[in-house]
Each structure stands twice: as structure tokens, then as C-alpha cells.
Amino acid sequence: MKKLCYHIPGMDCPSEERIIRMKLEDVDGLEGLEFDLEGRKLDVFHRGEAGEITPLIESLNMGGKLVTEEDHDTATLQLPDHARERKMLWAVLIINAVFFVGEMVAGWISGSMGLVADSLDMLADALVYGLSLWAVGTLVVRKKRVAAISGYLQLALAMMGLMEIIRRFIGADIFPDFRTMIVVSVFALAANTTSLYLLQKSRSKGQHVKASMICTSNDVIINAGIIVSGGLVYWTGSAIPDLVTGTIVFALVVWGAVRILKLSR
């Protein structure tokens, strides 16, 4: 068996890990994967040659490069606890799905594009975890089809949101409810903190805890940004802070959709 060591600069959080797992799981002779998210490293244990794995890693456009290739003893390979990981994925999936619906409803009722955009960010995370769960034991063609549908759905919703922001910038007189923005974002912040805790708990190595914090900090920053923009809406009497926040978050959602669509190729 070969141990292929890759350096992947664009891999620093669980969502990239899920994408890589889905990309490689159908490779013949694959025995195991070990991720070091903090170090941006991936060890692939494979009964074959690097030429089968490397093009798949490179196709994800995360900057992955093969560093070393060496023989490895099968007896020393420790396989992950899939049952435990599945439970964690379900928990995080449910949290993200519930807050996707809650923030979407609250966003439209309150007139806040920041909340609507953040709800789609929650949807993006839910899609990644949902695809990871659903992919186990399914046909390759079916998995790619579902990844494509999910990615296009997320992309379409994000583009609709950006069009609404443009409409409001041009002249639609809609003033968001800053109270709802702040309260809902505080709850979303608590949800992201809970998700972080579950992700940390599922890891056995300290570097993964730090890596999860790096990734989840993006969601925390978004939540904090909406809270701040809610305060600015109140202070300035203008909807502009909410629209700016929504634009930034929608752009992040579009990038997430593009990454999911890569799985369908």
C-alpha cells in the first residue's frame, strides 16, 4: 500500500474536507484518508499509483500538490469511526437546516437582506453535510447529479438575492427591522457555536479543533457583521449597512455554490 502525502493550501475547514472525501471515495484501492486541516495536509492510503489520485486533487482547484509518496504498512492504518462521524454530521446538518428556514423567514419579514443572505450561507453548509451523508453507498452518477442540482439551486437563490439588493439600492424604499436583525443573528451565532462544538468533539487531534475554529470563524464574523449592521441601520436611519452586508454574504454563497458544482464534473 502507498501513502501519498499532499499539501492543499485551500483546505482549512470541514467543508473542504467533505468535498475532498466525496471526490475520492469511489477511487478503486482507496484504503483511508487522514486530514490535517490546520497544516493543510492530506495523507492518502491507496493500493495504486499517485497518477490516479493527483488529478482528482488538482481538479478541485485548492492548490493541492503531491509532496511525498512512500510504502506504508497496512497494519498501522487506523480507520475512522464512521458511526460517530455520521451522528455528528446529522446534528450539524439539522442545526444548519433549521436556521436556514428560520433566518430566511425572519429576513423576508423584517426586510433584512443580511439575514436572507446568512440563511443561504446556512443552506450552503447544510448541503455540504447532507451530500456527505447521502453519498455513502450511492451510485457515482446519482451523487454527481444531486451535487449539481444542489449547487445550481444555491447559485440561483444567491443571484436572486443579489438582484433584490440591486433593486433596493436603485430605489426600493424598504427599511429593515434592526431589532429582528440583531436578535436572530444572536441566535444564529449560538447555533454556529454549537456546530463548532460538535465538530470539535468529533475530532481526536488537537490541530483539527484549531482548524474548525478557523473555518467557523467565517460564520461567526458574518453573524457579528449582521449584528453590527443592525446597529448601524438604527444609528444612521439607512438600509445601506444591511445591503452592504447582504452583498458580501451573497458573494460568499456564490463561491460555495461553485465549489459544490465542482463535485458534479
Side-chain angles (χ1 to χ4, degrees):
M1 181 173 65
K2 296 289 186 179
K3 177 181 178 182
L4 311 175
C5 301
Y6 291 89
H7 177 60
I8 309 178
M11 177 189 72
D12 63 2
C13 72
S15 62
E16 281 93 12
E17 176 182 333
R18 308 299 171 204
I19 289 174
I20 293 172
R21 285 188 184 278
M22 291 179 65
K23 192 71 173 181
L24 300 181
E25 66 180 353
D26 296 303
V27 175
D28 292 334
L30 183 66
E31 295 292 335
L33 302 172
E34 287 188 359
F35 289 84
D36 176 359
L37 299 182
E38 184 184 23
R40 275 74 163 176
K41 298 177 182 177
L42 167 64
D43 292 337
V44 179
F45 301 91
H46 181 231
R47 296 185 183 278
E49 300 299 326
E52 300 178 59
I53 305 293
T54 302
L56 297 176
I57 297 292
E58 293 176 345
S59 70
L60 294 174
N61 295 325
M62 296 182 188
K65 298 294 182 182
L66 179 64
V67 178
T68 61
E69 178 179 358
E70 59 189 46
D71 293 327
H72 188 77
D73 184 4
T74 306
T76 63
L77 178 61
Q78 296 182 351
L79 297 178
D81 185 349
H82 292 294
R84 182 179 180 183
E85 182 175 0
R86 185 180 290 273
K87 290 180 180 179
M88 179 274 297
L89 283 172
W90 270 114
V92 176
L93 169 62
I94 291 172
I95 290 173
N96 282 276
V98 168
F99 270 85
F100 157 64
V101 175
E103 282 196 298
M104 178 65 74
V105 173
W108 283 113
I109 292 177
S110 67
S112 170
M113 294 308 297
L115 286 179
V116 172
D118 192 37
S119 74
L120 292 186
D121 184 60
M122 289 285 193
L123 174 63
D125 292 339
L127 287 175
V128 171
Y129 294 122
L131 286 171
S132 298
L133 280 166
W134 188 84
V136 178
T138 61
L139 298 175
V140 176
V141 174
R142 188 180 300 172
K143 283 185 290 189
K144 289 185 176 181
R145 187 179 300 124
V146 171
I149 292 173
S150 300
Y152 283 122
L153 172 62
Q154 183 179 320
L155 185 61
L157 291 173
M159 296 308 296
M160 290 172 61
L162 287 171
M163 291 174 62
E164 175 64 15
I165 286 179
I166 292 174
R167 187 180 76 87
R168 295 190 184 190
F169 263 121
I170 292 175
D173 187 17
I174 299 177
F175 190 76
D177 183 350
F178 66 90
R179 298 177 186 84
T180 302
M181 291 175 61
I182 294 173
V183 171
V184 174
S185 292
V186 168
F187 280 107
L189 182 61
N192 280 320
T193 302
T194 302
S195 296
L196 173 59
Y197 169 74
L198 293 173
L199 290 168
Q200 290 175 343
K201 189 176 179 180
S202 70
R203 309 276 177 191
S204 60
K205 297 181 180 180
Q207 63 263 33
H208 292 307
V209 174
K210 296 178 181 179
S212 294
M213 291 181 67
I214 292 173
C215 177
T216 308
S217 64
N218 294 331
D219 295 328
V220 171
I221 290 172
I222 290 173
N223 297 142
I226 296 174
I227 293 172
V228 171
S229 66
L232 290 174
V233 166
Y234 169 72
W235 184 56
T236 63
S238 169
I240 296 298
D242 176 58
L243 297 180
V244 171
T245 301
T247 301
I248 295 172
V249 180
F250 276 130
L252 294 175
V253 172
V254 169
W255 172 239
V258 171
R259 292 196 306 181
I260 290 178
L261 287 172
K262 290 177 182 178
L263 294 175
S264 64
R265 295 177 181 176

